[in-house]
């Protein structure tokens, strides 16, 4: 059974789900702080369902316009917590230089590396394949340690 959580306010919407060991997010619109706080709450509900071990995150942000400064601060908390709870890789669909800059600022403020070109994809399928390979390698590395 797949859990799907979704929310929509006046300016933005999201849909969150888990596919294998990947938390998938589709977000569109302009994100404010109360929206980001609701997103974080639902994101935590999903990752609490994951078995222990490495997992990944796919963000389809192709229709995401931008985040307010307050929403960026709220997103910093999410990135830090996701990393603590086993997120080892993220991949995205984005087509906005502003949004890419905002995500990289969030990652920098969360002590995560900035996004590399290989983390951007044209399709969800390409991103999921990249994440699955990365997780498989992370699991194999754990087993050999």
């Amino acid at each position: 059974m797949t859990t799907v959580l979704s929310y929509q306010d006046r300016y933005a919407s999201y849909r969150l789900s888990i596919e294998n060991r990947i938390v998938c997010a589709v977000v569109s619109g302009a994100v404010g702080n109360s929206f980001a706080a609701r997103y974080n709450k639902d994101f935590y509900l999903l990752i609490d369902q994951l078995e222990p071990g490495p997992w990944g995150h796919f963000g389809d942000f192709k229709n995401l316009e931008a985040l307010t400064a307050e929403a960026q601060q709220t997103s910093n908390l999410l990135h830090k917590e996701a990393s603590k709870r086993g997120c080892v890789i993220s991949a995205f669909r984005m087509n906005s230089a502003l949004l890419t800059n905002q995500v990289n600022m969030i990652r920098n403020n969360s002590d995560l590396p900035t996004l590399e070109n290989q983390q951007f994809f044209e399709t969800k399928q390409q991103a999921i394949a990249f994440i699955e390979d990365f997780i498989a390698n992370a699991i194999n590395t754990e087993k050999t340690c």
Side-chain angles (χ1 to χ4, degrees), residues 105-117:
M105 287 186 339
I106 291 166
R107 291 178 67 84
N108 283 334
N109 289 330
S110 304
D111 298 323
L112 296 172
T114 57
L115 298 173
E116 302 291 332
N117 285 337

Side-chain angles (χ1 to χ4, degrees), residues 53-84:
W55 56 276
H57 168 250
F58 167 66
D60 187 338
F61 300 157
K62 193 169 182 176
N63 295 313
L64 179 57
E65 295 169 24
L67 291 83
T68 64
E70 296 84 7
Q72 281 184 257
Q73 292 297 325
T74 301
S75 293
N76 289 342
L77 300 172
L78 177 73
H79 280 74
K80 286 179 183 178
E81 190 63 25
S83 181
K84 286 182 198 173

Side-chain angles (χ1 to χ4, degrees), residues 2-4 15-26 39 43 46-51 53-60 86-92 121 123-136 139:
T2 301
T3 300
V4 176
R15 182 179 186 278
L16 294 167
S17 62
I18 297 175
E19 296 179 23
N20 298 322
R21 298 197 53 77
I22 303 168
V23 176
C24 298
V26 179
Y39 178 91
F43 197 96
L46 281 184
I47 63 176
D48 285 344
Q49 296 176 25
L50 293 169
E51 296 291 326
W55 56 276
H57 168 250
F58 167 66
D60 187 338
C87 183
V88 295
I89 189 67
S90 295
F92 299 92
F121 296 89
T123 69
K124 177 182 178 180
Q125 293 77 16
Q126 292 168 333
I128 295 295
F130 170 78
I131 294 169
E132 288 174 339
D133 287 345
F134 194 95
I135 292 171
I139 291 171

